[in-house]
Amino acid sequence: MNLSTSPAPSHPLAPYGWDEGWAAEFAVHAERGLLPGRVVRVDRGQCDVVTGDGVVRADTAFVTPHDPLRVVCTGDWVAVDADGNPRYVRTYLPRRTSFVRSTSSKRSEGQILAANVDHAVVALSLAVELDLGRVERFLALAWESGAQPVVVLTKADLVTDPDTLAHLVEDVVKSAPGVPVLTASAMAGHGVGELAALLGRGTCVLLGASGAGKSTLANALVGEDVMDVRATRDMDGKGRHTTTTRNLLPLPGGGVLIDTPGLRGVGLWDAGHGVGQVFAEIQEFARDCRFHDCAHEREPGCAVLAAVEDGELPVRRLDSYRKLVRENQWIVAKSDARLRGDIRQDWKRKQAAGRAAARAKRTGEW
C-alpha cells in the first residue's frame, strides 16, 4: 500500500484519516513539540481541532495570509500548540485535495470550502425540477479538487413512479460521465447504506443547494441527529440555511463527513481540467476536429458539431460546455493580464474565421 495513504490504526486520530503519510509530513513539527490535529470547524478566526487529547479550541492568527485560498479550513491537518491559553494553530500540512469555488464578490477571489477530501458528494433534491447545468457545474469543481465525485438524488420517496425515477436517474447519468449516481431517501432509510459503503472510510464533503436534504442525509450517515433540519418551502422546494458552518463529523463505519452550508452560487475557479472531465464525450469528439483549436462554433470540419447534427451529442450539453469554458477562461484571465490579451485576440480571430466560413458557405466556396 502507498505510504501516503497507509492507515495508522494505533493512532487516536486514525478514525479521522490520520495515516503514515500524514505522520511523515508532521515529523518536523513533532520535533518542535506541536500536536497534530484535524480541523473540524472554523469560525471567526478560531477553529475546533480534534487531537489525540480531544477537541481543542485554537486561534488561527498565525495562519491568516492575504490569499484566501491559504486560510485554515475544515478538513485541514494542522500543527497546534500542545498547551497554552490561548492555543494557536502554527501551520497546516500540505493539502492532498482542496475544493475551491469562486466567491460572489466583484473581486472574484477563490474560496476554499474543504480540504483533504476523498469523495465530493453532490446532493440534488428530487422535490424540484433537476437543473442539469448546475449538476455539471458542481461536478467540474469536484473533479478539479482531486476528489472522486458522487451524485446523490435525495428525497427519492417523493417520486412514486418507478419509470419516472429511472428517467431522472438516466438524465443525470448522461450529464455525469464516470460518476456514480445514487438515489436516496434519508427519511425512509433508502440508499443510505449504499452511499456509506461507496464512501468507505475516507473523507467526504457534502455539497448542494439549500433544501437539497444535505443535513437530513448527514444525520442518516452519522446515525444521529447532529445537524439541524428544517422543512423546505412547498412553493419552490427551497430550504433555509440550517447549516451555517462547515462541520467535520465522524461516521460510525469509519471515515468522516464534512457538511457544508447550502451554496447559492457555484462559481468556477480555475477548473479547466474539471470541465474537461465533466464533458469527456465532447473532448473525445473534438479529437477528430479539423483544427486543433476548434471552438466548436461554426468552424468547418468540426466533429463536435457533426455529433450534434447526428444526434450523438445533445445541444444542451454543448451549450453548457461552452458556457463553463467561457466562464472558466474569464476567471483565470482576471488574475493574468497577458492571458486576458491572448484570450481577447483568440476570440477576435475565431469570430473572423466564423464570418469567413459563413461567407464561403453562402457563396458555395466551402
Side-chain angles (χ1 to χ4, degrees):
M1 183 177 292
N2 189 293
L3 177 63
S4 65
T5 57
S6 299
S10 60
H11 198 282
L13 289 175
Y16 290 87
W18 185 259
D19 57 38
E20 293 180 10
W22 291 123
E25 290 278 3
F26 193 81
V28 64
H29 305 298
E31 293 175 358
R32 297 169 53 199
L34 299 175
L35 287 179
R38 194 164 196 192
V39 178
V40 299
R41 176 189 171 106
V42 179
D43 61 277
R44 299 180 181 179
Q46 294 188 315
C47 61
D48 293 335
V49 181
V50 60
T51 72
D53 297 333
V55 177
V56 301
R57 189 73 168 167
D59 196 300
T60 63
F62 286 101
V63 197
T64 54
H66 294 297
D67 184 351
L69 297 182
R70 297 177 62 191
V71 300
V72 172
C73 75
T74 304
D76 270 328
W77 286 99
V78 297
V80 66
D81 293 334
D83 52 31
N85 187 20
R87 293 191 182 191
Y88 289 94
V89 171
R90 298 297 172 172
T91 189
Y92 62 81
L93 301 185
R95 294 162 177 158
R96 292 178 182 171
T97 63
S98 55
F99 193 95
V100 180
R101 69 163 178 173
S102 175
T103 65
S104 57
S105 69
K106 292 182 180 180
R107 290 179 296 177
S108 298
E109 295 177 335
Q111 178 190 25
I112 184 165
L113 300 181
N116 303 312
V117 171
D118 300 301
H119 288 91
V121 181
V122 179
L124 303 167
S125 172
L126 290 175
V128 295
E129 184 177 355
L130 287 176
D131 184 345
L132 297 178
R134 191 175 179 85
V135 174
E136 290 157 349
R137 180 177 293 273
F138 267 114
L139 292 178
L141 291 175
W143 280 121
E144 192 68 32
S145 75
Q148 166 66 50
V150 179
V151 175
V152 180
L153 303 179
T154 65
K155 306 181 183 182
D157 55 302
L158 300 180
V159 183
T160 56
D161 179 43
D163 291 335
T164 300
L165 181 60
H167 285 307
L168 291 171
V169 172
E170 183 180 5
D171 286 343
V172 176
V173 168
K174 290 179 179 178
S175 301
V179 177
V181 178
L182 307 178
T183 59
S185 170
M187 299 295 290
H190 162 70
V192 176
E194 291 84 345
L195 176 59
L198 178 64
L199 299 178
R201 300 175 62 86
T203 297
C204 59
V205 61
L206 192 53
L207 307 158
S210 295
K214 299 190 307 300
S215 294
T216 304
L217 184 59
N219 288 338
L221 288 168
V222 174
E224 57 181 297
D225 292 338
V226 292
M227 304 305 297
D228 184 24
V229 176
R230 299 178 189 173
T232 56
R233 299 193 302 239
D234 291 335
M235 69 182 86
D236 56 13
K238 293 182 179 179
R240 298 177 182 177
H241 287 281
T242 56
T243 303
T244 57
T245 59
R246 299 172 192 92
N247 303 279
L248 188 145
L249 310 166
L251 299 174
V256 292
L257 167 71
I258 299 175
D259 193 19
T260 64
L263 300 176
R264 290 190 180 93
V266 194
L268 299 185
W269 182 259
D270 197 4
H273 172 73
V275 172
Q277 286 280 99
V278 175
F279 298 94
E281 80 278 30
I282 294 180
Q283 300 277 314
E284 191 65 29
F285 286 129
R287 293 181 180 180
D288 294 327
C289 289
R290 182 182 301 177
F291 304 110
H292 75 277
D293 58 347
C294 183
H296 321 308
E297 297 284 353
R298 294 180 294 271
E299 295 89 344
C302 176
V304 173
L305 294 178
V308 172
E309 292 180 4
D310 294 341
E312 297 180 79
L313 177 67
V315 174
R316 189 207 66 78
R317 283 281 284 172
L318 180 55
D319 288 343
S320 183
Y321 171 76
R322 288 168 174 162
K323 179 179 180 180
L324 293 185
V325 167
R326 286 194 297 267
E327 178 182 331
N328 191 66
Q329 287 178 333
W330 181 81
I331 287 293
V332 173
K334 286 278 286 184
S335 59
D336 191 325
R338 180 177 178 180
L339 182 59
R340 284 199 301 273
D342 290 344
I343 290 175
R344 191 178 299 113
Q345 291 300 318
D346 187 51
W347 283 349
K348 289 181 179 179
R349 182 182 59 78
K350 288 177 178 177
Q351 287 174 347
R355 288 192 294 268
R359 285 195 300 269
K361 189 173 184 180
R362 286 196 304 270
T363 58
E365 299 176 358
W366 191 270

